[in-house]
Amino acid sequence: MPAAAISAFLAFTFITAFTPGPNNILALGAGSRYGFRGSASVVAGICAGFFCVMIICGITAFSLSTLSDRLITVMKYVGAVYTIWLAWKVATANTADNGTTAVKTDFLNAFILQFVNIKIIIYGLAAFSGFILPYYESYIAVMLFIFILTMIGSAGVLAWTLMGSALQRFFARYARMANGI
């Protein structure tokens, strides 16, 4: 891969991994509610699901030259509806006595979110079709990049979890206002 492609790949993956999206908002909320250690199961669910989605994206992009526009459209709408529902649940959640939200998120919920998270699906498909497959044509390269994409995505999730944990007192004090934003 030429240097220009490597820099474009890294810019794309890091910007996508560290900007707000369903994973990072969920990680921020878990960090603010349960602290960094207490949110480990949520982070593990996000990362495990992310890895599975990257496997699917890598195999799909490697196997097919183009995906059906209809499939992409359906996935986009399912992901949008789930994201809106998740945002509604956070915005309208009752607050507990300590000011944290009462919505319980666990490994399984975080894991399942990945399969309707259009942001990471597009992230994976775009990375493979635009940056990886034009330069590498082996299953070993695809597997390597599955791990690289997962590590970069997981780094973004960990950063947002740490930020949530660091802002735990702020979110507890201004829970209703923060949830509305």
Side-chain angles (χ1 to χ4, degrees):
M1 184 182 299
I6 291 171
S7 63
F9 170 76
L10 291 174
F12 168 76
T13 55
F14 278 93
I15 288 169
T16 305
F18 284 87
T19 54
N23 288 345
N24 293 341
I25 299 303
L26 185 60
L28 177 75
S32 70
R33 278 181 295 218
Y34 313 121
F36 187 76
R37 287 186 187 159
S39 60
S41 67
V42 173
V43 171
I46 292 170
C47 294
F50 193 100
F51 177 68
C52 291
V53 170
M54 289 304 106
I55 291 171
I56 293 167
C57 289
I59 290 170
T60 300
F62 190 79
S63 301
L64 306 171
S65 60
T66 61
L67 283 177
S68 164
D69 289 336
R70 188 176 189 157
L71 175 62
I72 293 293
T73 301
V74 168
M75 291 172 66
K76 188 182 342 178
Y77 285 116
V78 169
V81 167
Y82 185 78
T83 302
I84 291 167
W85 176 81
L86 187 64
W88 176 259
K89 294 297 277 184
V90 170
T92 61
N94 294 327
T95 56
D97 291 340
N98 64 358
T100 59
T101 57
V103 175
K104 178 65 176 151
T105 305
D106 58 9
F107 177 91
L108 185 60
N109 288 332
F111 181 82
I112 291 171
L113 168 66
Q114 305 318 300
F115 295 93
V116 295
N117 182 348
I118 195 66
K119 181 181 176 189
I120 70 159
I121 293 167
I122 297 300
Y123 166 83
L125 291 175
F128 280 106
S129 63
F131 296 105
I132 299 163
L133 293 177
Y135 302 102
Y136 303 99
E137 297 178 357
S138 71
Y139 281 116
I140 293 172
V142 170
M143 290 171 35
L144 175 66
F145 278 101
I146 287 169
F147 285 109
I148 291 169
L149 291 170
T150 301
M151 293 318 223
I152 293 170
S154 297
V157 168
L158 288 171
W160 280 76
T161 306
L162 280 169
M163 184 170 43
S165 181
L167 296 173
Q168 196 170 23
R169 287 187 184 159
F170 172 81
F171 286 134
R173 186 171 184 185
Y174 302 105
R176 182 63 68 185
M177 181 181 67
N179 286 348
I181 295 174

